Amino acid sequence: MNKMEKALGELSEMDELAAGGSPIHRLHPTAKLLSTIVYILLVVSFDKYDFSGLIVMVLYPVLLFQISGIPLGVCFYKLRIVLPLVMAVGLFNPFYDRAPLLYLGSLAVSGGVVSMLTLMLKGLLCLMASFLLMATTSIDCLCASLRRLRMPGLLVTLLLLTYRYVGVLTEELAVMTDAYHLRAPGQKGIHVSAWGSFLGQLLLRSMDRAQELYGSMQLRGYHDHFHYAPIQSFSVRDAAYLFFSVAVLCLLRFTHAAELIGSLFVR
């Protein structure tokens, strides 16, 4: 199994996760989408030095991961490529902000170190919340919710088709990679001299496959708009979840929750 086939397997695993039957899976997609947006906005609104206030926001994704039955290890494994890029955002902050901000005993901690940790935690929490939304909601239901929120149909359709047919492109890439290795046995990767022709063939094959897919869509009634999968009506339970989650998140954001929790343990 080559890397492309492994990528296809991971895409199918995301669909399997979204087809679960936990209480979080059964919630209305719009409720989950809005609560996730609110959570991300509140997380990024923290001051760059407010690490202690930000750390309590980890309760939201961790609790929902437990309720949905999705292990945290799966989240970190799926995001293993993106996480290092997010963690590298604030790596240079300690070199620019060297003024001591706090002291841990006799050890002085600069503002750059605190801001670096805060930025890293912000990126980690936003990725966890986004992954949780995708792992508990199918892409069809998510796009249907976006259309109900009056998102432009062109953007929503582009998002849906990109997610759905990235697997088709990956299949073409897997076939071409296997064919290349059959002609060059024992060679690791693709030689730099073949990159141009390889990418050109991939582009031509992708265009041909895209034209076939578009013709199939037209035969099935596609005319500049997409008929999204039907989703359940917005129930009282969904409204209660949305109200309660937003209220708790605002409480964690605009109160000194970390200090209150710390005082309980000190006592």
Side-chain angles (χ1 to χ4, degrees):
M1 180 181 292
N2 56 32
K3 294 182 179 180
M4 298 301 104
E5 292 173 343
K6 291 181 180 179
L8 287 173
E10 292 191 12
L11 285 176
S12 63
E13 288 175 3
M14 288 298 298
D15 294 333
E16 293 175 1
L17 289 175
S22 71
I24 303 299
H25 286 83
R26 293 194 296 268
L27 287 171
H28 197 280
T30 304
K32 291 184 284 186
L33 176 63
L34 292 177
S35 62
T36 302
I37 292 175
V38 171
Y39 176 77
I40 293 176
L41 291 177
L42 291 177
V43 164
V44 299
S45 68
F46 276 86
D47 185 76
K48 64 180 180 178
Y49 298 128
D50 194 6
F51 182 80
S52 61
L54 176 63
I55 200 169
V56 298
M57 300 296 287
V58 75
L59 296 175
Y60 173 81
V62 170
L63 180 61
L64 292 188
F65 270 110
Q66 295 298 321
I67 298 175
S68 62
I70 300 174
L72 276 173
V74 174
C75 172
F76 293 132
Y77 178 77
K78 298 292 185 184
L79 300 175
R80 64 190 181 279
I81 298 177
V82 184
L83 278 176
L85 300 177
V86 173
M87 294 300 179
V89 172
L91 285 180
F92 294 100
N93 285 22
F95 299 100
Y96 294 106
D97 189 357
R98 301 183 180 180
L101 184 65
L102 54 91
Y103 290 88
L104 299 177
S106 60
L107 178 63
V109 181
S110 66
V113 173
V114 176
S115 63
M116 177 189 68
L117 295 176
T118 303
L119 284 174
M120 289 181 175
L121 185 57
K122 284 182 179 181
L124 176 62
L125 294 179
C126 291
L127 285 177
M128 290 174 64
S130 302
F131 175 83
L132 182 64
L133 176 64
M134 295 299 300
T136 57
T137 313
S138 66
I139 188 63
D140 292 330
C141 293
L142 185 60
C143 289
S145 296
L146 289 173
R147 286 297 296 141
R148 288 192 175 187
L149 295 175
R150 298 295 186 269
M151 288 289 292
L154 179 61
L155 295 179
V156 177
T157 302
L158 182 62
L159 171 64
L160 176 63
L161 296 181
T162 301
Y163 181 88
R164 178 172 292 177
Y165 294 114
V166 68
V168 177
L169 177 61
T170 308
E171 289 178 1
E172 294 292 336
L173 189 57
V175 171
M176 292 181 59
T177 303
D178 289 339
Y180 179 85
H181 288 307
L182 288 174
R183 290 172 174 82
Q187 180 176 314
K188 295 183 178 180
I190 299 174
H191 195 269
V192 63
S193 61
W195 284 4
S197 59
F198 188 89
L199 292 176
Q201 287 293 326
L202 178 61
L203 176 62
L204 293 176
R205 290 170 65 94
S206 300
M207 292 174 62
D208 292 339
R209 192 67 179 271
Q211 190 63 38
E212 294 175 0
L213 289 172
Y214 183 67
S216 300
M217 291 167 59
Q218 287 183 319
L219 291 175
R220 288 168 173 81
Y222 175 81
H223 296 289
D224 299 329
H225 67 278
F226 189 81
H227 298 286
Y228 299 97
I231 55 178
Q232 71 272 22
S233 58
F234 203 84
S235 64
V236 177
R237 180 192 62 179
D238 301 317
Y241 167 80
L242 179 59
F243 175 80
F244 181 74
S245 61
V246 171
V248 171
L249 290 175
C250 291
L251 183 66
L252 294 176
R253 171 63 182 91
F254 298 109
T255 61
H256 300 286
E259 297 179 3
L260 295 175
I261 296 175
S263 63
L264 293 177
F265 282 101
V266 170
R267 292 177 183 177

